[in-house]
Amino acid sequence: MAFGIFLAIIGGAFVSIQNTFNANVKKRVSVWTTTALVLLLGFAASLAAGLIFEGTGLFSFQAESWFWFSGIVGVGVVACVTQGVQILGPSRAISLVMVSQIFFGLMWDTLGWFGLEQVPFTWQSLVGVLLISGGVLLFQLGPKLEQKSYVKLNPDTIKAND
């Protein structure tokens, strides 16, 4: 389990780095060029790593044919998140992506969609999603709330009172 947690944390770091890089690429080319570049390079790297670590077993897989279309979903992921990072900034965009993933993951689990084993919805799950969402909201609004709590004094007024 510890190794799974470690991999999830590293994966999160990779996602954040990738989205920041993608947003910088998108500043110079279109979102579709960025998406094609990202997915093409990802395909090449995955193919090379798969051949190194799995050999020809890489091409032996059993899955529902509609699961094979996840790469098409990846186009939406890269295009939407890349633009979101460019418009909102990395921390705000990734925070919203994270909350969205948790919410929809809970929904897919609860409904048993996409071949997942159905997991009963519990109040603890709802509280968890609300707490994470509240944390993200606090994280995003915190600096704005702090700025409003300080009174901006005119330097001339301060000198006059000395």
Side-chain angles (χ1 to χ4, degrees), residues 55-94:
T56 57
L58 173 68
F59 302 106
S60 174
F61 54 94
Q62 302 282 328
E64 301 285 338
S65 58
W66 54 285
F67 287 147
W68 298 2
F69 291 97
S70 68
I72 295 171
V73 174
V75 170
V77 171
V78 173
C80 291
V81 176
T82 297
Q83 292 184 102
V85 168
Q86 188 177 22
I87 294 167
L88 301 173
S91 67
R92 185 169 288 145
I94 298 303

Side-chain angles (χ1 to χ4, degrees), residues 10-34:
I10 297 301
F14 282 156
V15 167
S16 183
I17 291 167
Q18 180 192 28
N19 289 322
T20 302
F21 286 2
N22 292 353
N24 284 319
V25 171
K26 194 205 169 279
K27 289 178 183 177
R28 292 164 180 82
V29 297
S30 75
V31 69
W32 300 115
T33 302
T34 302

Side-chain angles (χ1 to χ4, degrees), residues 43-125:
F43 169 76
S46 296
L47 181 63
L51 289 172
I52 290 168
F53 292 106
E54 295 181 24
T56 57
L58 173 68
F59 302 106
S60 174
F61 54 94
Q62 302 282 328
E64 301 285 338
S65 58
W66 54 285
F67 287 147
W68 298 2
F69 291 97
S70 68
I72 295 171
V73 174
V75 170
V77 171
V78 173
C80 291
V81 176
T82 297
Q83 292 184 102
V85 168
Q86 188 177 22
I87 294 167
L88 301 173
S91 67
R92 185 169 288 145
I94 298 303
S95 296
L96 292 171
V97 167
M98 181 184 74
V99 169
S100 175
Q101 285 178 309
I102 292 169
F103 171 77
F104 284 103
L106 175 63
M107 194 166 78
W108 304 155
D109 276 347
T110 301
L111 298 172
W113 287 4
F114 308 115
L116 297 171
E117 181 180 328
Q118 191 169 5
V119 177
F121 182 81
T122 64
W123 68 269
Q124 291 98 333
S125 300

